[in-house]
Amino acid sequence: MIKKLVNYFLQGLLFISPLALTAYILLISFEFADGLLRESLELLIGHDIPGLGLLIIVLLLIVIGYFGQTFIAQPIKRLIRNSIQNIPVLNEIYSSLNDLFSAFVGDEKKFNRPVLVLINPEAKLEKLGFLTEEDLSILGLEDKVAVYFPHSYNFSGELYIVPSSQVRAIDISPTNVMKFIVSGGVSQLENKQID
């Protein structure tokens, strides 16, 4: 009887934990974003309206994103980029972060081509990754490509340079492949082309 109760308890814990952690992360994120403008808005309006700071931040980012896509923003982007290029350490930080964010969103997404790479032909060992660069001629590598392999249960990964003949494109949504890899293969692969 006690063994069954412990089993039910553990099943309940497994059921509720991902939901509770997701809700907790969303709550913390909401509190942080909403709190950024809370004091200023409270002084301006006279009382606290929960969510107003977050709403203003979201609307501001939408407006910035809109203007960032227009021709008006190009000279401003160039000016900022040129100014930052003259500062050695800041240039490295800015360009690295810019490349990282561009790899996930925007027109220059890099993690949108999932591939299966033959790592060990004798053992037929294959690994899921994302093709990030097909032309490595600048490195003197004519027949090789760059493949990024995210780590499971982590937000890091490794970049491998592999023979292009050992890389095979797969027809699965990049989001599902990333979820599958990061979850250590626990998450189910779905063959839906959403992205």
Side-chain angles (χ1 to χ4, degrees), residues 57-100:
I57 289 171
V58 168
L59 291 175
L60 184 63
L61 288 174
I62 289 171
V63 169
I64 290 170
Y66 171 75
F67 282 114
Q69 295 293 329
T70 64
F71 68 93
I72 298 169
Q74 295 308 317
I76 296 170
K77 286 180 185 177
R78 228 181 344 268
L79 176 68
I80 291 170
R81 201 175 301 120
N82 291 340
S83 300
I84 289 176
Q85 282 178 346
N86 297 327
I87 306 169
V89 175
L90 190 58
N91 178 35
E92 295 301 319
I93 295 170
Y94 173 78
S95 63
S96 297
L97 289 174
N98 188 40
D99 290 347
L100 177 66

Side-chain angles (χ1 to χ4, degrees), residues 29-192:
S29 301
F30 174 82
E31 287 289 323
F32 172 76
D34 193 43
L36 291 173
L37 297 176
R38 182 172 285 142
E39 289 179 20
S40 302
L41 289 172
E42 199 169 338
L43 286 172
L44 187 67
I45 299 173
H47 61 287
D48 182 33
I49 302 174
L52 184 59
L54 179 63
L55 179 65
I56 290 173
I57 289 171
V58 168
L59 291 175
L60 184 63
L61 288 174
I62 289 171
V63 169
I64 290 170
Y66 171 75
F67 282 114
Q69 295 293 329
T70 64
F71 68 93
I72 298 169
Q74 295 308 317
I76 296 170
K77 286 180 185 177
R78 228 181 344 268
L79 176 68
I80 291 170
R81 201 175 301 120
N82 291 340
S83 300
I84 289 176
Q85 282 178 346
N86 297 327
I87 306 169
V89 175
L90 190 58
N91 178 35
E92 295 301 319
I93 295 170
Y94 173 78
S95 63
S96 297
L97 289 174
N98 188 40
D99 290 347
L100 177 66
F101 284 112
S102 296
F104 285 101
V105 293
D107 299 330
E108 301 172 23
K109 284 185 193 172
K110 287 289 187 180
F111 302 124
N112 61 352
R113 296 184 288 175
V115 294
L116 195 59
V117 179
L118 181 62
I119 300 294
N120 184 332
E122 291 82 33
K124 298 200 187 317
L125 177 67
E126 295 177 309
K127 192 169 184 176
L128 284 169
F130 293 90
L131 184 65
T132 58
E133 187 60 59
E134 289 183 81
D135 182 13
L136 296 177
S137 56
I138 195 166
L139 298 173
L141 304 170
E142 303 301 326
D143 62 341
K144 294 199 176 188
V145 295
V147 178
Y148 178 75
F149 296 103
H151 289 144
S152 299
Y153 297 105
N154 206 337
F155 291 102
S156 64
E158 296 176 312
L159 181 69
Y160 284 37
I161 307 299
V162 297
S164 55
S165 62
Q166 291 183 219
V167 177
R168 181 168 45 107
I170 53 177
D171 189 26
I172 298 176
S173 159
T175 304
N176 284 325
V177 172
M178 183 67 87
K179 197 166 57 170
F180 183 75
I181 294 169
V182 171
S183 73
V186 174
S187 181
Q188 290 292 314
L189 277 174
E190 299 168 18
N191 199 8
K192 293 179 191 168

